Amino acid sequence: MSTAQQTLSTWNPLILRRPVVAFTLLGGLTAVLLILNIGIGSVSFSPAEVWQAIWHPHLSTTTGAIVWKIRIPRAVAAILGGAFLATSGLLLQVYFRNPIVGPFILGISHGATVMVSMVMLTSLTVGMTVLSPFMTTIAAFIGAYGVMLIVVAVASKVKNGITLLIVGLMMGYLCHAVTSVLTALAEKEKIKGFVLWQLGSFSGFKWSEIGVMILCGGLILGLVYFLSKPLNAFLLGETYAASMGVNIRRFRVLILLTACALAGMITSVAGPVAFVGLAVPHMARLIFQTSDNRILIPGVCLVGALVTSLCDLIARMALSPVELPLSAITAFFGAPVVIGLLLKRSVKM
Amino acid sequence: MYFFSASPFHPITLSSVDKALVNNKTRCTMNEKTAPSILTCRNLTVGYKDKAVLSGLNLDFAAGQFISLLGPNGAGKTTLLRTLSRHLDPLAGHIAIAGRPLDQMSAMELAAVMAVVLTDKISPPLFTVYEFVALGRYPHTDFLGRLGAADHQAVRHALAAVHADDLAARTFSDLSDGERQKALVARALAQQPRLLLLDEPTLHLDLKHRVEVMGILRNLCRSEGITVLASLHDVDVAAKVSDRVALVKSGVLVDWGMPEIVLENSAVAGLYDFDGADFDHHLGSIELRGTGNRGRAFVLAGMGSGALIYRMLSKRGFRMATGVLHTNDLDYFVARSLGAECICQAAMQAIDDRALAEARRWLAVCDVVIDCGFAVGPMNQGNINLLNTVLAKGKPVLSLRPNGRELALPADGQIIRCADMAQLLAALDQRVPAMGGGGSAPYPEMREAV
């Protein structure tokens, strides 16, 4: 059997060695990190105590409260955050056919930040108490989508990848400028919460938010998986995709909406998290040695979950009990990836 | 209806348009009545937003034909192809694919009938050629794009049709331009279309792949019954592979029909505004007309012996007169394309006194005389007379005459034997130095001298 047929017969598990091995390993590692994230913390418990607390959730005990109200939501949020941001990055890289885009690079995270700052720092939303739990999520989505529309409008005029990158950076600066003005004008009490949010952390997730993320995010990921066929066609560019039968207009809207929704959902609670959306798709391509989105979509979810879980563990434990900002840790491994990609011209989309 | 754009019009183009108006019925009806039309354009105007690039197009493409789209750069070939493949909306008019209006077809329906090969540079990462070609199965696979047995068979068939079986396991981004073009055609074939549109399929390809790709495309028409519409730059190639050619220039369809009828010498020269070049209908090739005035050479040729020598002399900047040639001789067509003065005799007739007299006048004003070593028969005895005359006057003759074709010539004649073209060239350089040495008069004076 030729190698071409091997790589193509993605649905025969006997032939499909590489992806199966990779999925198993990644899944195993992610599970290990999940356990570590639950087991390790600034307050140390014995494994038996944690085990006990997991299976007998009594919020009245210290162990139970810490495990169920702090550690498990945070560990789950890290997994969801990594999966969503990475998927969002993959969608954007396929859409722009450019290897150095991601929700953070294109200014989409900053767009979300501006809208969240409006909600958190001003009194615009006073009185809208019914919506308040989801206010930041909705605001983040609107902000992300607004910036995305601007970037898409510019990208349709210029095809150059570097220009697109600069446009994204400029959008980031503009959004940052608006945010700083709002911060300067805001009341002191509100500023602290916002600044902490802006540093990026998976610590603030409540169970209700995680429920919404699992439900909505799960639906969106399912939808994205069903988009993998047109996504594959899109690798040849819009014109070829259209000639093969992709309904470009509908597909374009779907891809951008889902990418913004996934990135916005995470940004609204965890704050802007840098580089995950950019670097993880490349790591997944290297691991799976394919551009086939039917493999890459679940692939980036796993790799993303793994990376953010690891980063979160480092952020919490490196200088424990002081917690480092998550974006700082992700930047430490993400920035070299970007520089490497720029230097290595051979990496193309 | 034909529209004329405001741009200045080449006289040849105008006459061709008139001809097209008259001939469109007679030239095209024969075929279109018998074969069903796969692609029909009615009063089509293509272009961008406010600027029409081509207007008033009425075309019918019969199934299984190879149609070439010819015209100078910027004439609108790509714009027309982009409109026919629905990447651009037509500004006016109507397009039907296999009898159905193009604007009413869904993307999937269109993809099942039409495939395209574009000039866009694409290099999807981490794709084997097999996977790349399999993407062409898009309109035939399920919602996840899974490949069934029929799909694998179609992919293998497509790869075999473009002689790319051995590329299947290679990485797409590592292919050479020629291999990539074959993979692109294979991807389009995997779509199992009835109509294949190609934009400059031979651009950037070396000679081997250019010939190979054109051969592949022609085979698709013959054996698979696919209609191929390709924009091409090479008129000579187009003339040899196409069933129909469409000539576009200055915003209109200048002519449309069989290449054997449409691609006349003057039509091609007019289409591309040839200056210093000529297209010969019979040879199907383009010759660069000589422009130098290095010296005046008289070439005694015939029966194909002179063609290469004419090209060499023209390239080296010589003015040429040649004769006596029969009007059915290959030498005659080449010499005429190169702009040489031809002294000719009607085909199948012995060279007569009129031709000889004219040839002698030309011989008198020439700096060098070359004998190409033509074979001698009853019809070209006159040329031996000419040789004798030259030698008798003491003029040297550079001769490429091979052993076995010796002639009974005066023993005192000055014959300089050259074994091959290199020796001939060396002898020429010795006699007529390359730059300005001979001080020859320019072309018109050569005429006047006669």
Side-chain angles (χ1 to χ4, degrees), chain A:
Chain A
M1 181 146 293
S2 77
T3 46
Q5 279 164 300
Q6 273 182 19
T7 43
L8 271 168
S9 312
T10 42
W11 300 97
N12 184 341
L14 285 176
I15 299 168
L16 222 196
R17 290 214 181 83
R18 188 179 193 112
V20 167
V21 171
F23 276 124
T24 317
L25 275 177
L26 289 170
L29 278 172
T30 312
V32 168
L33 275 166
L34 176 69
I35 292 163
L36 283 178
N37 270 333
I38 296 171
I40 304 175
S42 48
V43 185
S44 53
F45 300 113
S46 71
E49 281 175 300
V50 176
W51 187 256
Q52 191 72 19
I54 290 171
W55 294 110
H56 305 283
H58 295 296
L59 297 182
S60 49
T61 65
T62 328
T63 326
I66 288 180
V67 167
W68 276 101
K69 284 180 89 171
I70 298 173
R71 289 194 190 168
I72 294 183
R74 182 168 182 158
V76 172
I79 285 174
L80 293 176
F84 292 2
L85 286 173
T87 309
S88 171
L90 178 71
L91 291 172
L92 293 174
Q93 286 177 8
V94 173
Y95 179 83
F96 288 107
R97 288 212 295 149
N98 188 326
I100 40 182
V101 302
F104 195 82
I105 295 282
L106 286 179
I108 290 161
S109 301
H110 292 100
T113 307
V114 167
M115 292 306 288
V116 171
S117 69
M118 297 232 182
V119 173
M120 288 174 77
L121 297 177
T122 66
S123 310
L124 287 178
T125 53
V126 170
M128 300 165 82
T129 41
V130 187
L131 284 171
S132 61
F134 308 108
M135 209 57 221
T136 47
T137 311
I138 294 166
F141 176 73
I142 293 170
Y145 200 68
V147 170
M148 174 72 100
L149 285 182
I150 295 170
V151 173
V152 166
V154 176
S156 67
K157 294 241 184 330
V158 287
K159 298 284 173 210
N160 187 329
I162 302 298
T163 316
L164 186 64
L165 195 69
I166 293 169
V167 171
L169 283 176
M170 291 306 125
M171 288 309 297
Y173 278 124
L174 276 178
C175 293
H176 187 72
V178 175
T179 312
S180 16
V181 170
L182 286 176
T183 316
L185 297 175
E187 298 155 36
K188 268 182 193 157
E189 310 84 69
K190 287 179 174 170
I191 291 175
K192 189 173 183 223
F194 179 69
V195 168
L196 283 177
W197 172 85
Q198 227 184 345
L199 287 175
S201 167
F202 288 119
S203 61
F205 283 84
K206 298 186 208 71
W207 274 110
S208 62
E209 286 163 338
I210 287 182
V212 169
M213 273 169 60
I214 290 176
L215 192 71
C216 296
L219 281 175
I220 293 173
L221 284 184
L223 174 67
V224 168
Y225 191 70
F226 284 115
L227 284 178
S228 55
K229 184 184 173 185
L231 276 169
N232 280 351
F234 223 75
L235 290 173
L236 305 190
E238 217 170 274
T239 330
Y240 271 115
S243 83
M244 285 193 275
V246 179
N247 184 334
I248 293 293
R249 255 168 232 166
R250 191 172 63 197
F251 178 69
R252 207 187 273 160
V253 170
L254 272 177
I255 221 173
L256 294 179
L257 274 179
T258 47
C260 284
L262 287 172
M265 223 186 300
I266 298 304
T267 310
S268 64
V269 187
V273 179
F275 293 111
V276 173
L278 164 64
V280 168
H282 290 291
M283 297 167 75
R285 280 190 201 100
L286 280 176
I287 293 169
F288 291 96
Q289 283 296 310
T290 182
S291 289
D292 187 344
N293 292 297
R294 290 171 300 186
I295 295 174
L296 276 186
I297 290 167
V300 290
C301 286
L302 268 181
V303 179
L306 181 64
V307 165
T308 44
S309 296
L310 183 65
C311 287
D312 195 42
L313 187 65
I314 296 170
R316 288 193 301 128
M317 299 314 295
L319 295 176
S320 179
V322 180
E323 192 185 318
L324 300 174
L326 183 65
S327 273
I329 307 297
T330 54
F332 273 127
F333 87 95
V337 170
V338 178
I339 293 168
L341 285 171
L342 282 171
L343 291 177
K344 200 174 149 203
R345 285 274 169 83
S346 58
V347 177
K348 288 178 197 136
M349 273 300 294

Side-chain angles (χ1 to χ4, degrees), chain B residues 324-330 332-333 336 343-348:
Chain B
V324 175
L325 299 175
H326 288 101
T327 50
N328 62 344
D329 197 321
L330 167 68
Y332 172 67
F333 295 113
R336 197 178 55 172
I343 299 106
C344 49
Q345 182 71 51
M348 318 304 280

